[in-house]
Amino acid sequence: MSDDACMISTEEGEICVYPSEGVLRLLGKEYTILIIGLLGNRGGAGFNEISRNVGNPRPNLLSIRLRELEDAGLVARRVVGSRPPRVEYSLTERGRELRRLLVPIFRWLEEQSRARAGNRL
Protein backbone atom coordinates (compact mmCIF):
# COMPACT_ATOMS: atom_id res chain seq x y z
CA MET A 1 0.00 0.00 0.00
CA SER A 2 1.35 3.41 -0.89
CA ASP A 3 1.87 6.25 1.55
CA ASP A 4 -0.72 8.26 -0.40
CA ALA A 5 -3.36 5.64 0.42
CA CYS A 6 -2.62 5.47 4.12
CA MET A 7 -2.10 9.17 4.84
CA ILE A 8 -4.61 12.01 4.90
CA SER A 9 -3.08 15.40 4.31
CA THR A 10 -4.56 18.32 6.24
CA GLU A 11 -3.60 21.93 6.82
CA GLU A 12 -2.10 20.84 10.16
CA GLY A 13 -0.07 17.99 8.64
CA GLU A 14 -0.55 14.38 7.73
CA ILE A 15 -2.61 11.81 9.61
CA CYS A 16 -1.90 8.09 9.34
CA VAL A 17 -5.13 6.12 8.92
CA TYR A 18 -3.73 2.74 10.02
CA PRO A 19 -4.42 3.21 13.76
CA SER A 20 -8.08 4.01 13.00
CA GLU A 21 -8.81 0.86 11.01
CA GLY A 22 -9.95 -1.21 14.00
CA VAL A 23 -12.39 1.39 15.30
CA LEU A 24 -13.70 2.14 11.81
CA ARG A 25 -14.26 -1.57 11.21
CA LEU A 26 -16.13 -1.80 14.53
CA LEU A 27 -18.25 1.26 13.67
CA GLY A 28 -19.30 -0.45 10.45
CA LYS A 29 -20.63 -3.51 12.24
CA GLU A 30 -24.35 -3.99 12.73
CA TYR A 31 -25.78 -2.30 15.86
CA THR A 32 -22.55 -0.49 16.84
CA ILE A 33 -23.70 3.02 15.92
CA LEU A 34 -27.15 2.39 17.41
CA ILE A 35 -25.61 1.27 20.71
CA ILE A 36 -23.31 4.30 20.84
CA GLY A 37 -26.26 6.57 20.07
CA LEU A 38 -28.53 5.00 22.67
CA LEU A 39 -25.93 5.00 25.45
CA GLY A 40 -25.03 8.59 24.64
CA ASN A 41 -28.66 9.67 24.73
CA ARG A 42 -29.54 7.83 27.93
CA GLY A 43 -26.27 7.91 29.83
CA GLY A 44 -26.48 4.18 30.42
CA ALA A 45 -28.72 1.18 29.89
CA GLY A 46 -29.09 -2.48 30.75
CA PHE A 47 -28.75 -5.31 28.26
CA ASN A 48 -32.50 -5.80 27.71
CA GLU A 49 -33.10 -2.07 27.31
CA ILE A 50 -30.33 -1.87 24.73
CA SER A 51 -31.74 -4.88 22.92
CA ARG A 52 -35.27 -3.46 22.74
CA ASN A 53 -34.10 -0.07 21.56
CA VAL A 54 -31.70 -1.18 18.83
CA GLY A 55 -34.05 -3.64 17.15
CA ASN A 56 -33.86 -6.85 19.22
CA PRO A 57 -30.72 -8.45 17.81
CA ARG A 58 -29.92 -12.04 18.74
CA PRO A 59 -28.67 -11.97 22.34
CA ASN A 60 -25.33 -13.54 21.44
CA LEU A 61 -24.75 -10.92 18.72
CA LEU A 62 -25.54 -8.07 21.11
CA SER A 63 -23.22 -9.59 23.73
CA ILE A 64 -20.42 -9.80 21.17
CA ARG A 65 -20.95 -6.22 20.03
CA LEU A 66 -20.98 -4.88 23.60
CA ARG A 67 -17.81 -6.84 24.37
CA GLU A 68 -16.12 -5.44 21.25
CA LEU A 69 -17.09 -1.91 22.29
CA GLU A 70 -15.79 -2.57 25.78
CA ASP A 71 -12.51 -4.00 24.42
CA ALA A 72 -12.12 -0.89 22.25
CA GLY A 73 -12.47 1.29 25.35
CA LEU A 74 -15.70 2.88 24.14
CA VAL A 75 -18.17 1.25 26.53
CA ALA A 76 -17.91 0.48 30.24
CA ARG A 77 -19.71 -2.45 31.85
CA ARG A 78 -20.80 -2.17 35.48
CA VAL A 79 -22.48 -4.80 37.62
CA VAL A 80 -25.19 -3.21 39.74
CA GLY A 81 -25.42 -4.88 43.15
CA SER A 82 -29.03 -6.00 43.17
CA ARG A 83 -30.78 -9.35 43.24
CA PRO A 84 -30.46 -10.66 40.65
CA PRO A 85 -27.32 -8.75 39.65
CA ARG A 86 -27.91 -6.41 36.74
CA VAL A 87 -25.32 -5.16 34.25
CA GLU A 88 -25.41 -1.57 33.07
CA TYR A 89 -23.49 -0.28 30.07
CA SER A 90 -22.40 3.31 29.50
CA LEU A 91 -20.05 5.19 27.23
CA THR A 92 -16.57 5.83 28.50
CA GLU A 93 -14.99 9.26 28.09
CA ARG A 94 -13.42 7.94 24.89
CA GLY A 95 -16.82 6.70 23.71
CA ARG A 96 -18.45 10.07 24.47
CA GLU A 97 -15.70 11.84 22.55
CA LEU A 98 -16.13 9.55 19.55
CA ARG A 99 -19.91 10.08 19.63
CA ARG A 100 -19.40 13.84 19.75
CA LEU A 101 -17.08 13.63 16.73
CA LEU A 102 -19.57 11.48 14.80
CA VAL A 103 -22.41 14.00 15.15
CA PRO A 104 -21.19 16.30 12.32
CA ILE A 105 -20.80 13.30 10.02
CA PHE A 106 -24.38 12.20 10.68
CA ARG A 107 -25.64 15.77 10.20
CA TRP A 108 -23.89 15.84 6.83
CA LEU A 109 -25.33 12.43 5.89
CA GLU A 110 -28.82 13.56 6.88
CA GLU A 111 -28.48 16.72 4.75
CA GLN A 112 -27.27 14.66 1.78
CA SER A 113 -30.20 12.29 2.18
CA ARG A 114 -32.66 15.20 2.19
CA ALA A 115 -30.98 16.78 -0.83
CA ARG A 116 -31.19 13.51 -2.80
CA ALA A 117 -34.84 13.09 -1.79
CA GLY A 118 -35.55 16.65 -2.92
CA ASN A 119 -34.01 15.94 -6.31
CA ARG A 120 -36.41 13.05 -6.86
CA LEU A 121 -39.53 15.18 -6.46
Side-chain angles (χ1 to χ4, degrees):
M1 185 176 299
S2 75
D3 285 345
D4 286 341
C6 68
M7 298 299 280
I8 295 176
S9 297
T10 70
E11 295 167 357
E12 295 85 27
E14 291 187 328
I15 302 169
C16 179
V17 299
Y18 282 138
S20 62
E21 282 187 38
V23 170
L24 290 175
R25 197 171 295 117
L26 178 57
L27 289 175
K29 290 184 176 183
E30 192 172 20
Y31 301 109
T32 297
I33 296 292
L34 297 174
I35 293 167
I36 291 171
L38 176 70
L39 294 179
N41 291 343
R42 300 231 171 137
F47 186 90
N48 291 333
E49 183 180 359
I50 295 169
S51 181
R52 280 191 308 274
N53 282 279
V54 301
N56 293 308
R58 292 184 325 274
N60 64 328
L61 175 58
L62 182 56
S63 292
I64 290 167
R65 202 63 73 237
L66 287 166
R67 193 172 317 112
E68 289 172 334
L69 286 163
E70 187 178 3
D71 291 345
L74 301 172
V75 167
R77 179 182 187 274
R78 182 173 68 99
V79 177
V80 179
S82 62
R83 282 197 169 251
R86 183 176 171 272
V87 175
E88 184 171 290
Y89 297 88
S90 60
L91 293 179
T92 61
E93 182 59 39
R94 184 174 182 213
R96 288 189 299 275
E97 181 181 9
L98 175 61
R99 183 180 182 277
R100 183 182 53 78
L101 293 169
L102 288 171
V103 168
I105 294 170
F106 285 106
R107 275 202 185 105
W108 181 83
L109 290 167
E110 190 175 70
E111 290 167 7
Q112 297 306 307
S113 178
R114 277 196 222 121
R116 281 194 309 273
N119 289 337
R120 288 188 215 130
L121 298 177

